[in-house]
C-alpha cells in the first residue's frame, strides 16, 4: 500500500516539473519589498506533500519499532512514533473518504 501512495507522490513530482518547465513567469515580487509573494500549490501538490509526509511518518515508526526490538530504543519513543504514524494514516483515510464522497456527489448531479 505504501508503494501505491509513493506512486501518487511521484506523479505529483512529475506534474510539478512539467509545470515549472512550461511556466515562463517567475514568482511575483510584492510591491515595495524584495520578498516573493507566496504561491498557492495545486491540489495535486498538496496531496502529494501530505502523502510524502505520511509515508515518512510510517517509515520512521517502523524504524523505531525495529530499534526497540533490538533494544536500542525505549518504549516512549516507539509509542510516540507509532501514534504519529497512526494519526497520519487516519488523516489520509479521512481525506480519501471526503474525496470519494465528493466524487460520488458530483456523479449524481443531473446535467
Amino acid at each position: 500500500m505504501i508503494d501505491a501512495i509513493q506512486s501518487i507522490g511521484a506523479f505529483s513530482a512529475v506534474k510539478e516539473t512539467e509545470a515549472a518547465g512550461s511556466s515562463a513567469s517567475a514568482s511575483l515580487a510584492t510591491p515595495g519589498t524584495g520578498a516573493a509573494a507566496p504561491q498557492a500549490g495545486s491540489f495535486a501538490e498538496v496531496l502529494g506533500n501530505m502523502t510524502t509526509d505520511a509515508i515518512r511518518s510510517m517509515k520512521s515508526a517502523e524504524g523505531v519499532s525495529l530499534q526497540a526490538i533490538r533494544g536500542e530504543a525505549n518504549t516512549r519513543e516507539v509509542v510516540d512514533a507509532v501514534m504519529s504514524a497512526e494519526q497520519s494514516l487516519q488523516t489520509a483515510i479521512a481525506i480519501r473518504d471526503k474525496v470519494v464522497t465528493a466524487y460520488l456527489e458530483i456523479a449524481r448531479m443531473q446535467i
Side-chain angles (χ1 to χ4, degrees):
M1 183 168 126
I2 292 177
D3 293 333
I5 294 173
Q6 286 176 334
S7 68
I8 293 171
F11 176 74
S12 69
V14 169
K15 288 293 189 185
E16 289 175 22
T17 304
E18 290 174 358
S22 64
S23 168
S25 63
S27 63
L28 301 173
T30 305
T33 65
Q39 294 185 358
S42 70
F43 186 67
E45 289 174 9
V46 172
L47 286 181
N49 291 339
M50 288 180 65
T51 55
T52 302
D53 292 342
I55 291 168
R56 188 177 303 123
S57 176
M58 286 185 243
K59 285 185 177 182
S60 172
E62 184 179 3
V64 173
S65 297
L66 290 174
Q67 288 176 349
I69 290 172
R70 287 183 253 148
E72 299 171 358
N74 63 23
T75 307
R76 176 68 180 184
E77 293 172 351
V78 174
V79 170
D80 287 343
V82 170
M83 294 289 281
S84 175
E86 182 180 5
Q87 185 178 12
S88 296
L89 182 62
Q90 292 298 324
T91 302
I93 290 170
I95 291 171
R96 181 211 55 197
D97 291 345
K98 291 290 185 178
V99 168
V100 169
T101 302
Y103 173 78
L104 292 174
E105 194 171 314
I106 290 170
R108 282 189 294 240
M109 287 183 182
Q110 293 181 3
I111 298 176

